[in-house]
Amino acid sequence: MENMGFLILWYFAAYFIVTAIGVLHTVFNITVLHMKSMKEGPGMGEGYERTKPWHPLYNILIFPIFAYIYFSGLGTATWQAAVVTSLIWGTVTVVFDLFGWVVVKHPWSLTFRQFYVEYQPWITLIYITIYASPFIAYGAMQLAGK
């Protein structure tokens, strides 16, 4: 596939921005709104738990924008490009999340159960939005006549 480098670049830009927004939202809840952190509360703490419903929204706002940017660089968006982008972005997210949030241990890492069971329905909605984002961008481009 042509422009694979840009497909991955725009994916990681979107992923980084969404992750940064989620982390900053959690930090805001803890420092400004004085919600409990992981250290002070059960599970991931109130500061993080209150951000969960927002996570799919961050993704549905950010990922289509970056898919649109990627498709704009192709010259013409095609249905086939949307399908390939969807499959790559969604699958990379599932694998990257497994390693980045479960396998590799860090202060904010989660257990398999916390990430894939207790994070429901949010993680499923996030994955759906990422898989859907290229189709949203493709549809927007078709409506705009691009």
Side-chain angles (χ1 to χ4, degrees):
M1 175 177 188
E2 63 184 66
N3 295 320
M4 182 63 81
F6 283 113
L7 181 135
I8 297 300
L9 170 73
W10 295 125
Y11 164 78
F12 278 111
Y15 188 94
F16 174 78
I17 290 169
V18 166
T19 301
I21 291 169
V23 168
L24 290 171
H25 189 177
T26 300
V27 170
F28 175 84
N29 284 353
I30 293 167
T31 58
V32 176
L33 301 179
H34 307 292
M35 293 181 187
K36 293 182 179 176
S37 69
M38 291 170 60
K39 295 176 185 175
E40 304 165 324
M44 293 301 294
E46 179 188 20
Y48 169 75
E49 294 294 328
R50 292 283 186 100
T51 68
K52 284 181 176 181
W54 294 92
H55 295 178
L57 180 61
Y58 306 150
N59 285 274
I60 202 67
L61 291 174
I62 300 299
F63 271 91
I65 291 169
F66 283 87
Y68 191 97
I69 292 168
Y70 170 65
F71 293 149
S72 294
L74 296 178
T76 303
T78 64
W79 179 256
Q80 293 81 6
V83 170
V84 169
T85 303
S86 171
L87 291 173
I88 291 173
W89 283 14
T91 305
V92 167
T93 301
V94 171
V95 172
F96 199 69
D97 279 354
L98 174 64
F99 284 93
W101 296 107
V102 178
V103 174
V104 176
K105 298 305 176 198
H106 53 81
W108 287 31
S109 64
L110 303 166
T111 65
F112 189 87
R113 179 174 178 71
Q114 286 172 314
F115 196 75
Y116 294 104
V117 177
E118 295 172 13
Y119 194 18
Q120 292 297 340
W122 314 118
I123 192 62
T124 298
L125 293 172
I126 288 167
Y127 291 156
I128 290 169
T129 63
I130 292 171
Y131 277 108
S133 290
F135 298 107
I136 294 167
Y138 174 77
M141 293 181 98
Q142 294 304 301
L143 288 174
K146 294 187 177 187

